[in-house]
Every structure is written in structure tokens, then in C-alpha cells.
Amino acid sequence: MLVLPIRVCSGTLALALLLVVPRAIAMDAGPAATAGAFAQAPSPQAIAEYKRKLQEYLEARAAFEQDAGAYWNAIADKRRGRNAKRRERQQITLDDYVLTQPPLYEGPKRPVDPSPEPETPPRERKRIPVVADLLRAANEHFQFAPQRPANEFDFKRAYARVASAAGLTREQAVRVYSFETGGNGNHDMQSGLSASRPGSRAISTAIGYNQLLTTNTVELLAEQGHDIVRALTEKAAHLSGPPRKAMDHKLAVLKRMVAFARSVPDEWAAHERLANTPQGWALHSMVLDIDVGPLLQTHKLLTSVIFARNKGFTRPLTAAELEMMNLTGDGTGFDMVTMPQAMREMVPTANFFQRSGYERNPVAIRHNTVAKLLAVTDARMDTNSSNQGARELAAAF
């Protein structure tokens, strides 16, 4: 992401200086370097000790993997069973969950090989597009620049207006915002990046009040794009002059973006492939637009509300329950939301994850039952709702 011409030039200069070092000095360094290499070679005793510890580690790890594999296979089997029962409209009981916690590896650590390791090039980081990349892609592929707010409160006001009209409550919107952004996030806040932490790096493409991923945006445009186009068309009908011309251009671009999002099957994997292209980055730039962004953010939460309602869930979702559906997906989140409190106290969070996702999620591991996970979510919402950004969003309603 950073271009470092000075560092490149310095490297070139250093290489040039090395090339003009007298040959005699370079030759004198040879025996010393060879002696150093021999001095670093591990002793036979060190190698034997390493091999012994390595064998102990491999045996302990193999035993753990056998237990862990059986556990996560049981998790998958129970999940398939619950899905089948739901299709048949049968009641879900405690027997439909794994009620023990995942096994933890408690054996020896992998020993360090005393032999010198061959030099390997550093692993290249996966490129994560940031806001500047999204804006560049929108300009290059759609000849469009999102309409940014004059100030952050304008965006909050637009979001509150759209969310209220869609039926979201102030509590739901503000508390989800507080959880996702820490209660101070701007409309262009990206996960991992912070102005208060120089040198911080983006850790995902999640942006905005609800931290939408690039794939979320592609999916929302594919599934809700026609509704978003209709909303902007109605808004355009009340405009004239330059604002109407700008809105007409925005609508034309939006229709092209919706067509692009709908050019693949309506599946997460297919949307993810589009999201990882420059055109997908361009679609994600719409999260920043003061007209389209609030609609995308609202639809992300509204689809969960509608999903629960269509499943016969009549009471309003709490903000923490809505966040569970927002984070884990509607089907998985609904599984937790519909669980009676007594069951929430007993069912491990591992039931709602794949193994790789669970092992990378310290929050789900520490707060390892449904009740604990919902409680810590609520607690974080409580704390962050008092921050300035959350108070401003509440006032916008």
C-alpha cells in the first residue's frame, strides 16, 4: 500500500558500495564466514534432544487432533440434524446440540529446530483494498464518485431517516452501531484502521456503521438492488436542476452495478469472487454514498428482521440478538435467538461455528455459551452507547 522510493534508492546505493569493496577484503571475509557457519552447527546431542521432543509433540498433537476431529464432526452432525428438524417444523431440544466444550491442546509445544533454517522470502500479505482503492475503482470502472456527506452528522441523519422508515428502532440501530464501531465510527471507518494509531493496517474490507464487507455489498445489491433503485428513483422525482442531473447519473451507475452483482448465481461464494475484483471494490464504494450507503446499511439489518419474522418470530429482536444474526448469518443467528434462556446457559458457542472460525475467535472462546456471548455483546453495547458518535446517532432519530 505504501510506496517507498527513498528506501529503494538507498538499497541500490548500498549494493553499489558493496560492489566496489576491494576484492581482498571480500576474500578475507570468506574463511571467517565459513568458521561462523561451522560454529552455528548444532551438536549431535542437541539434534538428538530435538528429535526426542519433536516425537513427543507429534504424538501429543496426533492424540489431540483425533479428539478434536471427533468433536467437530459431532458439531457438524448436530447442525445437520437441527436443520432437518426445522424443515419438518419439529421442536429443537438440548439433545440437538453438543453440550461439551471443544477439547483444548495441553501437550508440549513444538520444539525449535536447532539446525539453521534456509532463508525463505517473507510471505506476501493478502491485499486488502482501502477507501482510496474503492474510490479509484469506482472512477475507473463506472466513471463515478460516491457523494460524500458535508459532515458526519449529515450521514447519521440520512441513516436514521432510512432506518426509521424501514421499521428499525433507534435502540437497534444505535446499539449495533456502538458494537460495530465502538460508538465513535464515521461512515468511512474501516476495520483495523484508526487515525489515532499511526501505521495501523486494514484487517478486512468492513466499512461503515454496520461494518459491511465487500461481499455484503455485492450480495445486498444483487438481492435488494431493485428496492434501492426504486428508493432513489422516488427521491429523484422531487429534484430538479443540477441535483436531478447528479441523481440521474447516480441511478444509471447503480443500475449497472446491480446488473453486475446479479451476473452470477445468488450464492455467497459467487458474490465473494466478484467482491475480490476491482469492479467489486467499485460496488463497495457505494457504502460511502450519502444516498445509497444508508440504504445498504439498513437493508443489512432489515434482512435479519424479515428473516426472523418470516420464521414466525413475532417479538422485536433485541439489538444483541440482531447483532448475532448480523455477525453469524441469519440462519445461525436465528438458531441462537430462538433458544430459551435456560438452554442459552448450557449450549456452547462452538455449536455455531466451523472449527477454523471458532479457533480464530477469542470472544467466542472466552464467552463460551450462548448466554455469555449475548451478555458480553450487550455489555459492550451499553458501554459504547455513551460515546459521542452513538449519542449523535441517537439524536439523529
Side-chain angles (χ1 to χ4, degrees):
M1 186 168 68
L2 295 177
V3 180
L4 301 173
I6 295 176
R7 191 170 296 176
V8 172
C9 293
S10 298
T12 305
L13 178 60
L15 179 60
L17 289 173
L18 285 174
L19 291 176
V20 298
V21 171
R23 181 176 178 83
I25 297 177
M27 291 177 64
D28 286 346
T34 304
F38 277 115
Q40 292 174 5
S43 67
Q45 294 83 357
I47 292 175
E49 180 67 5
Y50 164 71
K51 289 181 176 180
R52 182 186 66 79
K53 289 183 176 180
L54 178 62
Q55 185 61 32
E56 289 179 355
Y57 164 79
L58 293 175
E59 290 174 358
R61 194 74 200 184
F64 166 74
E65 288 298 332
Q66 185 173 2
D67 291 343
Y71 179 88
W72 289 101
N73 285 339
I75 289 285
D77 290 342
K78 292 286 190 180
R79 184 182 297 118
R80 283 190 289 269
R82 292 196 302 276
N83 291 339
K85 290 182 75 171
R86 285 197 181 86
R87 286 193 295 270
E88 300 298 324
R89 298 186 180 278
Q90 298 176 15
Q91 184 176 359
I92 306 297
T93 69
L94 273 176
D95 290 338
D96 296 306
Y97 298 92
V98 175
L99 299 180
T100 56
Q101 295 293 339
L104 297 175
Y105 178 71
E106 297 176 339
K109 294 181 179 180
R110 187 182 188 98
V112 177
D113 189 343
S115 302
E117 294 185 4
E119 289 188 9
T120 56
R123 189 172 62 180
E124 188 175 348
R125 289 175 179 265
K126 181 182 177 183
R127 172 93 185 282
I128 296 176
V130 295
V131 167
D133 298 310
L134 307 183
L135 296 175
R136 190 179 305 112
N139 181 58
E140 290 178 0
H141 295 279
F142 291 92
Q143 297 72 55
F144 179 75
Q147 182 184 350
R148 308 291 288 276
N151 56 69
E152 196 60 32
F153 192 70
D154 282 352
F155 201 97
K156 287 186 169 73
R157 202 160 28 214
Y159 176 52
R161 186 164 51 245
V162 171
S164 294
L168 294 177
T169 68
R170 178 172 65 177
E171 180 184 16
Q172 287 172 329
V174 172
R175 287 175 70 80
V176 168
Y177 163 87
S178 299
F179 182 87
E180 292 282 356
T181 73
N184 270 322
N186 291 341
H187 74 287
D188 57 357
M189 173 183 174
Q190 183 164 359
S191 179
L193 291 177
S194 173
S196 63
R197 289 186 290 112
S200 59
R201 293 175 177 270
I203 60 175
S204 81
T205 59
I207 290 177
Y209 294 172
N210 297 349
Q211 290 289 279
L212 299 187
L213 296 164
T214 311
T215 310
N216 291 136
T217 298
V218 172
E219 188 158 81
L220 286 165
L221 288 174
E223 297 175 353
Q224 313 295 331
H226 293 321
D227 289 339
I228 296 174
V229 166
R230 182 163 51 249
L232 261 64
T233 301
E234 292 174 359
K235 187 171 184 177
H238 300 284
L239 302 175
S240 61
R244 175 60 186 265
K245 184 177 180 180
M247 182 63 77
D248 286 344
H249 176 59
K250 187 181 300 186
L251 272 165
V253 170
L254 182 60
K255 289 174 182 178
R256 288 168 55 203
M257 288 183 170
V258 170
F260 177 73
R262 292 172 64 88
S263 65
V264 297
D266 188 11
E267 301 168 354
W268 179 267
H271 292 153
E272 188 174 34
R273 284 192 291 273
L274 286 189
N276 288 329
T277 66
Q279 292 93 328
W281 300 356
L283 268 60
H284 198 36
S285 74
M286 279 297 192
V287 175
L288 308 171
D289 185 87
I290 194 168
D291 294 312
V292 182
L295 288 162
L296 289 169
Q297 307 257 5
T298 295
H299 273 294
K300 179 64 174 73
L301 299 183
L302 191 62
T303 51
S304 297
V305 172
I306 294 171
F307 182 92
R309 190 182 302 150
N310 290 341
K311 293 288 186 180
F313 193 80
T314 55
R315 72 166 174 80
L317 291 165
T318 69
E321 290 171 340
L322 184 55
E323 181 61 31
M324 285 302 103
M325 297 180 73
N326 188 38
L327 282 175
T328 64
D330 289 336
T332 300
F334 187 71
D335 196 352
M336 289 187 267
V337 164
T338 54
M339 190 180 295
Q341 183 62 34
M343 289 176 60
R344 291 181 180 183
E345 302 283 351
M346 301 174 66
V347 175
T349 54
N351 283 276
F352 309 99
F353 289 85
Q354 303 292 334
R355 179 182 177 180
S356 58
Y358 181 84
E359 291 177 345
R360 293 196 306 268
N361 192 324
V363 175
I365 293 172
R366 284 197 303 271
H367 308 281
N368 57 10
T369 66
V370 173
K372 290 178 181 178
L373 188 58
L374 284 167
V376 74
T377 302
D378 257 327
R380 186 176 300 179
M381 289 176 170
D382 289 340
T383 300
N384 294 342
S385 290
S386 62
N387 290 336
Q388 181 65 27
R391 293 201 306 271
E392 289 177 354
L393 182 57
F397 276 81

